[in-house]
Amino acid sequence: MSAQGIAIIGAGMIGAAHAAAYRQFAHQFGQASLRLKTVCDMNASLAQELAAKYGFEEIKSDWKTVLADDEIAVVSICLPNFLHTEVTMAALAAGKHVLCEKPLALSADSARPVRDAAKAAACTSGTVFNYRRIPALAELKARISAGEIGDPVQISVRFQCDYAADPLLPHSWRYEFAKAGPGALLDIGTHAVDVMRFLFGDISEVVGATSTISVPDRYLPLSASVGHGHVELSDQTAKVDNDDVMSGLVRFVNGAQGFVTASRVAIGYGNLLAVDLFGTKGSARFSTEMPSFFDLARFDDDAAGAFVRVTNRPASPAVGDLAAVPHGLVSVGYAEWFGFMIHEFLSAVQNSTPFENGSIEDGFRAAQVLDAIQLASASNGPVQVRWQD
C-alpha cells in the first residue's frame, strides 16, 4: 500500500470504537503506509479529545474537506443515520475506501444507489456488521454451512438494550423518524437482522410484525449530548415518533422460519445479542453476555442430543491470529471483535480484494428486510422481501 491516511468522520461513541480498532491494528500493515490522520466532527472539542486519545494527527470540522484530502485513503463514517447515504456516496465518488456504520441508509430505496455505487467503484467498501466477527458466531456459521445442524428449521435473534429506558434521557435525532428511521429496529435491529441472514441466509417474507413506543415524549436538552449520555434538560418536550420495541416473524428462502426482536427499553439488558437456532440434526445457542462459547446439541453425538459447550480456543476464527491472548476460553469482548472487523477491512484494502463479510450489499439486503418489517407492522399483514432486486 502506498502512503495513506485513515480518517474517522464522526467523533461520537461509535467513532471511538473505530479509532480504538484502527490504533490496535493499523501498525500491522506498516507504519509508513497507514497513518491515523484525521478525526472530523462539527464539535471541535469532541474531535480533539478523540484524536488525542487514540493518536490521530489532526482534526477537521467539515467532512467534505476530509474527502478532498489526497492523503486520506481509508474513511470510517460514524455519523447519525440520516447522513450515512450522502457521505458514503461522496466518499465512494472520491475514490476512498469506505466503512460505513449501520444502518447503511434509512430505507432500502436510499440504500440501493449506495449499493450500485459500491459495485461500480474500484475502492473497497463495507457496512459495519461487527457481530459477524464474534469467534463463537463465526464458528457456528461454519458448522451450519458444513451441515452439522442439518437443514435449518428455526432461528430466534433478539437484540435488547436499555439505553432508552430512562424517560429522562434527552430527546435527540435518535428519537426522530426523519433522522433515525425506525428506532430500535434500525439502531440495533439492523444487527439482529444481519445475524439472521449471516447464519440462515436470505429472508423471503415477513409474515407479521408489531411495534411499540413506550416513552412517547422526551425533554429537549440544554446542551449537546454524546451517545446515550445525560445532560441538563429544558422544560420543553418533543414527541418520540419511532419505535422503542419492534418484533417480526420471518420466513427464509430455504423454508426456515425466524423471529427477530429489538428493544431499546429492556431494563437490565445493557447490550444483549442472543441467538437460538434449530435444525433437523441439532440446535445451538449463543449470547453476548457469555461471548467465549456457544452450546451445540446434536443427535449423532455421544451425548445423544444434550448440549455440549464449544469454547473459544486458538483454532477459533480470528482467535489464534488476532486475539491478544490466544488461549482456550480466554474472554474475547466487543472491542476485540470490532477490531477483528477493522483488521479484515484493512486486509481487503491492502490486497485490493472485495470486503464480502459485511459488504455494502449486505447493508442493502438488511435494509430490504427492515423495510418489510416496518410495512408488516403498519399493515398488520405479510410482506414479501424482494431480495433479488
Side-chain angles (χ1 to χ4, degrees):
M1 233 183 319
S2 59
Q4 298 183 63
I6 296 171
I8 294 174
I9 301 178
M13 177 179 63
I14 200 64
H18 285 250
Y22 282 124
R23 182 182 180 183
Q24 181 182 10
F25 285 113
H27 73 280
Q28 293 191 9
F29 298 87
Q31 289 282 15
S33 61
L34 275 177
R35 300 157 51 201
L36 305 182
K37 189 170 189 292
T38 305
V39 174
C40 178
D41 200 284
M42 292 181 63
N43 185 327
S45 61
L46 193 63
Q48 185 60 56
E49 180 181 352
L50 189 64
K53 184 174 183 179
Y54 292 105
F56 283 73
E57 298 173 11
E58 64 179 13
I59 67 169
K60 292 185 178 180
S61 60
D62 184 349
W63 60 264
K64 293 180 181 178
T65 65
V66 175
L67 301 186
D69 186 345
D70 291 337
E71 293 186 7
I72 296 294
V74 176
V75 176
S76 273
I77 297 171
C78 310
L79 295 165
N81 296 353
F82 64 97
L83 295 172
H84 288 181
T85 302
E86 178 187 5
V87 182
T88 300
M89 290 286 285
L92 290 169
K96 309 301 184 185
H97 303 292
V98 186
L99 188 58
C100 179
E101 264 299 329
K102 58 76 199 165
L104 185 60
L106 298 185
S107 68
D109 284 344
S110 298
R112 186 175 287 104
V114 183
R115 186 274 309 268
D116 293 343
K119 280 186 174 182
C123 49
T124 301
S125 59
T127 308
V128 174
F129 287 137
N130 50 301
Y131 289 89
R132 290 176 175 229
R133 278 74 184 188
I134 299 173
L137 280 185
E139 180 170 346
L140 185 53
K141 162 67 174 177
R143 287 173 178 253
I144 293 170
S145 298
E148 291 194 26
I149 70 157
D151 297 327
V153 174
Q154 184 185 31
I155 186 171
S156 171
V157 181
R158 54 193 177 99
F159 205 133
Q160 294 174 293
C161 298
D162 61 2
Y163 64 81
D166 186 349
L168 295 182
L169 194 75
H171 197 281
S172 71
W173 64 268
R174 293 181 186 276
Y175 305 104
E176 298 180 30
F177 188 91
K179 293 183 177 180
L185 179 66
L186 213 62
D187 190 23
I188 53 180
T190 303
H191 280 306
V193 166
D194 181 68
V195 167
M196 293 184 87
R197 288 192 61 250
F198 177 58
L199 295 173
F200 265 35
D202 276 310
I203 293 166
S204 61
E205 180 183 23
V206 177
V207 179
T210 186
S211 66
T212 302
I213 300 175
S214 60
V215 183
D217 303 276
R218 292 186 181 273
Y219 288 99
L220 295 173
L222 291 175
S223 60
S225 61
V226 177
H228 307 303
H230 287 78
V231 296
E232 188 177 356
L233 303 174
S234 72
D235 58 1
Q236 297 181 333
T237 63
K239 292 289 184 183
V240 173
D241 65 356
N242 58 13
D243 59 278
D244 287 323
V245 184
M246 182 81 83
S247 302
L249 179 66
V250 308
R251 193 180 309 281
F252 290 83
V253 172
N254 60 22
Q257 63 174 258
F259 175 73
V260 59
T261 187
S263 173
R264 61 188 183 190
V265 292
I267 296 171
Y269 290 92
N271 194 80
L272 170 73
L273 172 71
V275 179
D276 292 274
L277 60 87
F278 310 90
T280 55
K281 294 182 179 179
S283 304
R285 60 193 181 196
F286 168 81
S287 166
T288 54
E289 289 186 336
M290 296 171 286
S292 295
F293 62 84
F294 66 93
D295 291 327
L296 180 67
R298 295 170 54 197
F299 278 126
D300 57 355
D301 282 344
D302 293 337
F307 277 105
V308 175
R309 184 149 295 174
V310 182
T311 62
N312 284 353
R313 57 204 184 283
S316 299
V319 172
D321 296 329
L322 301 177
V325 183
H327 193 276
L329 206 57
V330 171
S331 296
V332 175
Y334 183 94
E336 286 155 309
W337 66 65
F338 201 99
F340 300 162
M341 176 194 64
I342 292 293
H343 184 278
E344 188 176 330
F345 178 67
L346 293 178
S347 295
V349 169
Q350 183 181 55
N351 298 320
S352 299
T353 55
F355 183 71
E356 296 179 337
N357 188 21
S359 62
I360 294 290
E361 177 73 27
D362 287 317
F364 170 63
R365 296 286 183 91
Q368 289 179 302
V369 177
L370 295 164
D371 277 6
I373 292 173
Q374 294 175 73
L375 185 55
S377 176
S379 65
N380 197 30
V383 176
Q384 297 294 314
V385 179
R386 297 180 58 190
W387 59 271
Q388 304 95 330
D389 186 4

